[in-house]
Amino acid sequence: MKLHRFYIADTKLVEDLVIDDKAYTHQWTKVLRFRVGRGIALFNNDGVEYLYVITMIDKFGVRLRRNTEIKVPKPHKEVHLCFSLLKKDKNDWVLQKATELGVSHFVPLLCDRTEKTGFDENRARKIVVEAAEQCGRVDIPTVLEPITPQKLLEKLSPGVELFVAEQGSPQLNLSLNSLPQESVAILIGPEGGWSDQEKQLFNEKEVKHISLSNFTLRAETAAVTAAALLQ
């Protein structure tokens, strides 16, 4: 029997727990048809996951009893994926797949050649929560509001090792052993590439350039490839 996982935000996972949120109770009892005795896994972004067993279902909600802690692997690195905004479905795909690959922070970029500037942060956060539930993560990636590359470089912590992806740049070995910092960030440009002004900005800031492939990658492919290599 499949063990379903759920992210329970802002809830302390105590030994005896009552969930009265209608969104959860409806899904559990009406959609998934959970019954007393059913086990489910809960986590709340504190780095721990617990197995609970349903002990009662009544008009007040679903009552659960904590059984045991579940050991869950965590990402090796704190990866900031800074990617130029794409069309809606492609943004969704990047958020989902990069969450599965262990990205910790998503930073949508408003580049000079970004074609689409609209971004639904609430939808994006829902996608990363669902992806984390599905893939087995106990940490929920953060999703920031769109920002220009210049603003990003001004705000980025000096403790974050920064790369910019650009085809034709020297290939760097992005293995764990080659990255001394525990926190790394990579900038992925739009389909049209970086503008001359952005390239000049990266050179002035001495940002390391890397090439992710010998071939030309679509922006969404580059984002997911970078997420996999950095993690």
Side-chain angles (χ1 to χ4, degrees):
M1 183 181 295
K2 178 181 178 182
L3 180 64
H4 288 78
R5 306 177 70 248
F6 298 93
Y7 170 61
I8 309 294
D10 304 319
T11 300
K12 189 173 182 180
L13 300 180
V14 295
E15 186 171 353
D16 290 294
L17 186 63
V18 177
I19 300 297
D20 57 5
D21 186 298
K22 291 184 178 180
Y24 290 113
T25 58
H26 175 79
Q27 182 183 15
W28 293 353
T29 62
K30 303 300 182 182
V31 180
L32 297 173
R33 298 186 180 278
F34 289 166
R35 296 294 181 260
V36 171
R38 177 64 186 253
I40 58 176
L42 304 180
F43 66 103
N44 63 359
N45 210 24
D46 64 356
V48 181
E49 179 176 346
Y50 293 104
L51 174 64
Y52 278 83
V53 175
I54 297 176
T55 58
M56 183 181 296
I57 300 174
D58 57 26
K59 63 180 181 180
F60 299 107
V62 177
R63 299 172 182 269
L64 306 106
R65 177 81 174 181
R66 195 174 69 200
N67 191 320
T68 185
E69 180 179 336
I70 301 174
K71 300 297 182 182
V72 180
K74 299 178 182 179
H76 296 290
K77 294 277 184 182
E78 182 183 35
V79 174
H80 303 248
L81 183 60
C82 314
F83 64 102
S84 176
L85 277 175
L86 304 166
K87 293 181 180 179
K88 181 179 178 181
D89 57 338
K90 294 182 179 180
N91 283 328
D92 295 353
W93 188 80
V94 168
L95 291 165
Q96 182 189 72
K97 301 308 176 186
T99 296
E100 295 174 7
L101 290 167
V103 165
S104 299
H105 308 284
F106 290 99
V107 187
L109 294 178
L110 297 173
C111 305
D112 290 343
R113 294 174 178 167
T114 298
E115 295 183 358
K116 183 178 178 61
T117 58
F119 184 68
D120 189 335
E121 293 178 48
N122 291 330
R123 174 182 173 83
R125 292 190 178 97
K126 182 179 179 181
I127 289 171
V128 300
V129 166
E130 291 176 350
E133 290 177 337
Q134 185 276 329
C135 75
R137 288 181 64 171
V138 293
D139 60 309
I140 303 297
T142 61
V143 181
L144 305 184
E145 61 183 13
I147 191 174
T148 64
Q150 182 174 357
K151 290 292 185 181
L152 172 65
L153 296 184
E154 293 173 358
K155 293 184 176 183
L156 200 62
S157 169
V160 179
E161 189 170 14
L162 181 62
F163 300 93
V164 57
E166 185 174 10
Q167 189 179 22
S169 300
Q171 188 85 25
L172 298 182
N173 179 19
L174 292 181
S175 67
L176 289 176
N177 292 333
S178 70
L179 296 174
Q181 300 291 344
E182 290 299 318
S183 184
V184 294
I186 188 163
L187 282 72
I188 307 294
E191 294 288 354
W194 301 110
S195 68
D196 291 338
Q197 292 82 0
E198 288 165 341
K199 292 179 180 179
Q200 181 179 352
L201 171 66
F202 299 146
N203 288 332
E204 290 175 353
K205 299 294 186 179
E206 299 181 341
V207 180
K208 298 176 184 178
H209 286 61
I210 60 170
S211 179
L212 299 174
S213 173
N214 294 325
F215 305 105
T216 302
L217 302 179
R218 291 185 178 274
E220 66 270 24
T221 306
V224 172
T225 299
L229 290 174
L230 289 173
Q231 195 55 260

